[in-house]
Amino acid sequence: MPAQQLNLAHHTILLSGETDFEGWRDAARRLALSGIEPVDVNWTIRPEAERQPDPPPPCGEESGMGEQTRQPPGSTTLRVPRDFIAAAETAILHSNPERFAFLYRLLWRLRSEPHLLKIASDPDIRRLEAMGKSVRRDIHKMRAFVRFRQIGDSPDERYVAWFEPDHYIVERNAPFFVRRFTGMRWAILTPHACADWDGERLAIGPGARKDDAPLEDTSEALWRTYYWNIFNPARLKVKAMQAEMPKKYWRNLPEASLIPDLIAGADEAAKEMIARMPSTPAPHHAKMQAKHWPVPKTPRQDEDGADARSIAQARKAAEHCRRCPLWREATQTVFGEGPESARIVFVGEQPGDQEDIAGKPFVGPAGKVFDDILEEADLDRAITYVTNAVKHFKFEPRGKRRIHSKPNAGEVQACRWWLDKELSLIKPDLVVALGATAAQSLLGKPVAITRMRGEVIERDDGLRIFLTIHPSFILRIREPEEKQAERERFLKDIKAVKALMA
């Protein structure tokens, strides 16, 4: 256990480091059981040169806090809600130097206010939630914006990255990078701490300076070329981009040097892209599909997705889906996208023309409305996963255009297997059915969205389904006032979804 020291005479706590949760928990438990009020406690970090192993707990005392809050007089055990332990483990990673004292004050209050965590209006609870949100956002940003640079050549090849987190998240985040980059040797340097993976062992060390990291490697020119070519000017929203990728991260991203020019030329590039964008796949497409992906007489499990243990594996298996005839005319399977740890899954009807060509869900006009509404509702996209009830585009050709055609009940039922697979892997807290087709797929029966909109239906398996419209419904309204009113209703629905998550 990390070193910590309790001096009951002066009530000074020396923790072994900025993230010493075990030391804080042990000291806080003993302080509370001794009746020492928060105002009489001073929390500080022990100098590195003086750190020693923890002394064993006093005889008869347990080593940690248990669940629940009340304890009988004279008890040597302090019980607190499990939710508090989880929240404290996250909040202690925050950079606020008063976090240890703040968490002890909360612990002290929980002894006499066992339901304190449920009082959302309480200033301390709001502060706890804000600290947790800030830490989780920092963890997400680190995963998104770490850029490794190569040092040396095989067999001495290593990859080094420099990152500047807002909080003490390196130790918590390092296992993610181990899982993502298991096969390479790497190090992530930050001012607070450094993580080093040698292919077998993960080590956490003291902080570093930016000068310790390499400035550039030979792959960055290739990366900038790739970024330039995948940039979609029609999807550009500068405000949303800077919210997701604040400028403070730009100085460490090789592609950031391109951003000003990409923004400046976005309007003209979008017009050019739309003018040359095809709508109808090549005439030989269906024949090529039949040639390369013939219908198997007996699908193997690895092809039908039964053995998939991750979203990535299920997505790969779905590329060869033949559960209904829609695959013959569609360009490709359009599987869901988002983190496998998402708390909310949004389910639409089916991919449209642009989704069918891009291979990504919610990138067409309705997807833009959806993105704008989520941004206005301030719903964190890091906790959302988007998909469709049907994974192939069903359409009617009209000249060079492909017009959306609603999937029938058989097609919805055939594709439900994939939706169930996604939900079983993600295990979300809430699923949002966008429209009647999504609701029918999720609930197994027709649903009157107009009448039941805004309701939450719990399935037999415990999964909660929130019912609302599909954003494409807003686009079909011609009267401006009616369109705006419907948009406001949809925004209200998404805010209700956010409230359910809170």
Side-chain angles (χ1 to χ4, degrees):
M1 183 181 293
Q4 54 82 34
Q5 176 177 310
L6 172 61
N7 185 330
L8 291 180
H10 300 93
H11 313 315
T12 297
I13 308 300
L14 296 177
L15 301 174
S16 69
E18 299 287 358
T19 60
D20 183 11
F21 176 75
E22 295 294 335
W24 173 87
R25 183 174 63 175
D26 183 57
R29 178 179 59 82
R30 287 191 276 167
L31 286 166
L33 290 173
S34 299
I36 299 174
E37 298 187 8
V39 70
D40 296 325
V41 182
N42 176 43
W43 300 86
T44 187
I45 304 298
R46 184 189 299 274
E48 186 173 356
E50 300 178 10
R51 295 176 189 173
Q52 297 177 358
D54 264 351
C59 182
E61 293 190 9
E62 297 180 4
S63 61
M65 300 177 189
E67 196 178 354
Q68 303 177 3
T69 54
R70 292 190 180 278
Q71 60 280 338
S75 171
T76 59
T77 301
L78 178 67
R79 299 190 179 277
V80 297
R82 183 176 298 172
D83 289 348
F84 174 71
I85 297 296
E89 282 184 302
T90 299
I92 215 162
L93 305 180
H94 199 277
S95 57
N96 189 326
E98 299 178 358
R99 63 193 181 281
F100 303 109
F102 166 68
L103 290 172
Y104 182 59
R105 185 171 75 244
L106 272 180
L107 174 64
W108 184 264
R109 291 185 61 189
L110 280 168
R111 301 170 73 224
S112 58
E113 303 173 67
H115 301 295
L116 176 62
L117 294 180
K118 298 179 181 179
I119 306 176
S121 61
D122 184 272
D124 281 346
I125 299 305
R126 292 204 306 269
R127 180 181 177 187
L128 178 67
E129 292 174 349
M131 291 173 71
K133 182 177 181 180
S134 183
V135 168
R136 288 189 293 271
R137 179 177 176 83
D138 205 30
I139 288 173
H140 169 69
K141 294 305 180 189
M142 182 176 176
R143 296 178 181 184
F145 299 132
V146 159
R147 296 289 186 271
F148 288 104
R149 293 182 168 99
Q150 182 178 342
I151 296 178
D153 297 316
S154 182
D156 300 321
E157 180 181 88
R158 290 183 62 84
Y159 293 85
V160 180
W162 171 258
F163 187 74
E164 300 170 36
D166 291 331
H167 307 298
Y168 302 104
I169 60 170
V170 174
E171 190 171 1
R172 173 78 65 88
N173 227 1
F176 167 84
F177 291 94
V178 171
R179 294 190 299 269
R180 177 67 64 87
F181 304 108
T182 305
M184 71 185 204
R185 296 188 301 162
W186 53 261
I188 300 176
L189 313 183
T190 83
H192 303 317
C194 298
D196 183 89
W197 170 252
D198 64 3
E200 297 181 356
R201 182 182 61 88
L202 175 65
I204 305 296
R209 299 175 304 167
K210 188 173 183 180
D211 294 343
D212 297 328
L215 295 177
E216 190 167 330
D217 64 12
T218 55
S219 66
E220 292 195 6
L222 178 62
W223 173 252
R224 283 189 285 266
T225 301
Y226 168 75
Y227 187 79
W228 181 277
N229 283 277
I230 66 168
F231 176 73
N232 185 346
R235 299 282 292 167
L236 175 65
K237 293 185 293 184
V238 177
K239 182 180 177 182
M241 180 193 71
Q242 292 184 357
E244 286 299 313
M245 187 171 68
K247 285 190 174 182
K248 74 170 192 172
Y249 298 112
W250 291 16
R251 60 181 177 268
N252 297 321
L253 301 177
E255 67 269 27
S257 61
L258 305 175
I259 292 176
D261 290 339
L262 290 171
I263 292 175
D267 289 341
E268 289 301 319
K271 293 177 183 177
E272 179 185 350
M273 184 185 71
I274 293 171
R276 58 184 171 82
M277 184 176 64
S279 177
T280 306
H284 64 278
H285 170 72
K287 295 180 180 179
M288 290 297 290
Q289 279 190 323
K291 177 181 178 181
H292 292 289
W293 296 330
V295 179
K297 294 180 180 179
T298 306
R300 300 196 310 270
Q301 283 190 319
D302 61 340
E303 290 179 341
D304 68 12
D307 288 338
R309 296 293 181 265
S310 69
I311 290 295
Q313 291 177 1
R315 181 181 293 109
K316 185 67 176 177
E319 292 177 1
H320 309 284
C321 179
R322 304 293 183 268
R323 293 178 180 272
C324 75
L326 292 183
W327 68 273
R328 295 183 181 277
E329 302 299 330
T331 305
Q332 58 193 312
T333 305
V334 181
F335 209 70
E337 284 196 340
E340 198 158 326
S341 60
R343 296 183 61 200
I344 310 172
V345 172
F346 287 92
V347 181
E349 181 186 85
Q350 66 165 352
D353 178 87
Q354 293 186 29
E355 288 84 356
D356 175 68
I357 294 171
K360 296 178 179 292
F362 288 81
V363 298
K368 189 175 188 307
V369 172
F370 177 73
D371 288 343
D372 290 344
I373 293 292
L374 260 63
E375 182 182 355
E376 288 185 40
D378 194 27
L379 183 60
D380 187 0
R381 290 303 297 269
I383 65 168
T384 64
Y385 180 94
V386 294
T387 188
N388 285 295
V390 174
K391 311 301 186 191
H392 286 111
F393 180 35
K394 183 178 182 180
F395 62 92
E396 296 177 1
R398 294 184 187 175
K400 293 185 177 181
R401 300 181 63 198
R402 299 186 296 171
I403 306 301
H404 164 275
S405 180
K406 184 176 180 179
N408 60 41
E411 292 157 349
V412 172
Q413 180 60 32
C415 212
R416 182 176 177 176
W417 193 95
W418 292 110
L419 179 58
D420 287 344
K421 188 68 176 178
E422 289 173 294
L423 296 178
S424 69
L425 291 169
I426 297 171
K427 298 180 177 61
D429 297 330
L430 182 70
V431 178
V432 181
L434 301 172
T437 300
Q440 180 179 351
S441 177
L442 289 163
L443 298 173
K445 61 182 179 180
V447 176
I449 292 295
T450 303
R451 178 171 55 85
M452 300 180 66
R453 179 177 185 173
E455 293 187 18
V456 178
I457 298 177
E458 185 170 329
R459 297 196 320 193
D460 292 340
D461 60 1
L463 186 63
R464 297 184 301 161
I465 313 295
F466 183 95
L467 303 176
T468 186
I469 62 164
H470 194 283
S472 62
F473 176 69
I474 300 172
L475 296 175
R476 294 196 294 269
I477 300 175
R478 295 185 178 182
E479 182 62 38
E481 292 183 1
E482 293 181 12
K483 183 187 289 284
Q484 182 60 30
E486 188 56 50
R487 190 182 186 281
E488 291 298 324
R489 288 188 67 194
F490 187 52
L491 175 60
K492 182 179 178 181
D493 287 345
I494 299 303
K495 287 182 177 179
V497 169
K498 180 183 176 183
L500 286 170
M501 289 298 95

